[in-house]
């Protein structure tokens, strides 16, 4: 395992080599909880972790972005986030689903970037990730919980997949396992792996 960065905002290593998948961490890997409620191991979606194991077996590069609503000056939240990230990293390592990266969006925020729009700073983060891994945008997938596209036309080739089941509009009769199976199929198709 080659760890290039391991600090309070970011863990970066090179594990996979085929394509790049960027997941929003919250509400996808971890179930949603009120802002200050403690996360537990039961909040991690076991079916999603099984899909990550399959992605690792396919040698796909993947990782997680987390966004926090608390201001960057709130060091208590940073410490909690770093601790949670390390625990999640250890858990996924044991589960054979070790991510290539964990990124707290704060690691790309400097004074100049805070004044930009959210979509611009997200584009900057995607650009940084594709640069780190020398990834082709045509083989890069962004998996998010949002229901509307947020990546602008400035990112030709980048594919967005909206994780279903997180909104009231999602059909209630679809099982979590079926939803994760659908996501895995969509990622494999986007990366030309099937």
């Amino acid at each position: 395992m080659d760890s290039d960065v391991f600090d309070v905002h970011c863990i970066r290593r090179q594990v996979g080599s085929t394509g790049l998948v960027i997941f929003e961490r919250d509400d996808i890997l971890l179930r949603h909880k009120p802002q200050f409620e403690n996360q537990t191991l039961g909040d991690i979606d076991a079916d999603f972790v099984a899909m990550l194991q399959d992605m690792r077996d396919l040698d796909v590069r993947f990782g997680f972005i987390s966004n926090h609503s608390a201001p960057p000056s709130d060091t208590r939240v940073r410490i909690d986030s770093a601790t949670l990230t390390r625990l999640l990293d250890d858990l996924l390592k044991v589960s054979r689903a070790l991510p290539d990266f964990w990124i707290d969006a704060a690691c790309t925020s400097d004074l100049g970037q805070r004044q930009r729009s959210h979509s611009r700073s997200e584009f900057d983060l995607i650009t940084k990730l594709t640069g780190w891994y020398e990834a082709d945008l045509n083989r890069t997938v962004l998996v998010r919980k949002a229901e509307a596209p947020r990546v602008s036309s400035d990112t030709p080739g980048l594919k967005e997949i909206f994780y279903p089941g997180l909104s009231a509009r999602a059909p209630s009769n679809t099982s979590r396992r079926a939803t994760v199976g659908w996501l895995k199929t969509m990622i494999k198709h986007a990366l030309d792996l099937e």
Side-chain angles (χ1 to χ4, degrees):
M1 176 178 66
D2 179 20
S3 289
D4 299 315
V5 177
F6 192 82
D7 64 24
V8 106
H9 296 296
C10 178
I11 295 174
R12 182 172 71 128
R13 57 177 66 95
Q14 294 190 12
V15 182
S17 65
T18 306
L20 178 64
V21 181
I22 304 164
F23 294 100
E24 287 185 341
R25 185 197 72 188
D26 306 310
D27 294 338
I28 295 180
L29 175 66
L30 288 175
R31 293 183 182 100
H32 174 73
K33 283 193 153 185
Q35 186 175 2
F36 295 107
E37 191 172 330
N38 289 332
Q39 295 283 349
T40 67
L41 292 180
D43 297 317
I44 297 170
D45 185 329
D47 291 323
F48 187 79
V49 171
M51 184 205 68
L52 294 178
Q53 292 167 345
D54 291 343
M55 292 289 105
R56 184 53 65 219
D57 291 342
L58 292 170
D59 209 22
V60 171
R61 284 196 168 147
F62 66 84
F64 296 91
I65 298 174
S66 59
N67 294 295
H68 302 286
S69 57
S73 60
D74 188 346
T75 56
R76 180 190 56 149
V77 172
R78 275 196 202 165
I79 292 168
D80 291 343
S81 175
T83 301
L84 178 60
T85 298
R86 291 186 198 319
L87 289 171
L88 290 170
D89 192 62
D90 288 344
L91 179 70
L92 293 183
K93 181 178 183 178
V94 168
S95 300
R96 295 182 309 104
L98 186 66
D100 288 277
F101 60 88
W102 296 90
I103 303 232
D104 185 326
C107 83
T108 61
S109 296
D110 60 26
L111 289 174
Q113 287 177 320
R114 283 184 211 142
Q115 296 170 353
R116 297 179 187 176
S117 70
H118 177 75
S119 62
R120 181 65 199 170
S121 63
E122 187 166 83
F123 173 71
D124 292 343
L125 181 56
I126 292 166
T127 301
K128 179 177 271 197
L129 284 167
T130 56
W132 278 353
Y133 293 107
E134 299 176 357
D136 181 352
L137 273 177
N138 291 314
R139 293 183 59 84
T140 300
V141 178
L142 178 61
V143 178
R144 63 170 65 252
K145 61 186 179 274
E147 294 182 13
R150 288 202 313 220
V151 175
S152 72
S153 58
D154 295 342
T155 54
L158 176 69
K159 296 163 190 78
E160 279 186 291
I161 297 174
F162 301 104
Y163 192 64
L166 298 170
S167 71
R169 293 191 301 168
S172 59
N173 61 350
T174 304
S175 75
R176 188 73 167 179
R177 181 165 287 156
T179 301
V180 171
W182 171 87
L183 177 60
K184 182 170 116 176
T185 300
M186 293 297 291
I187 291 170
K188 287 171 71 177
H189 179 70
L191 296 178
D192 294 325
L193 296 175
E194 56 176 17

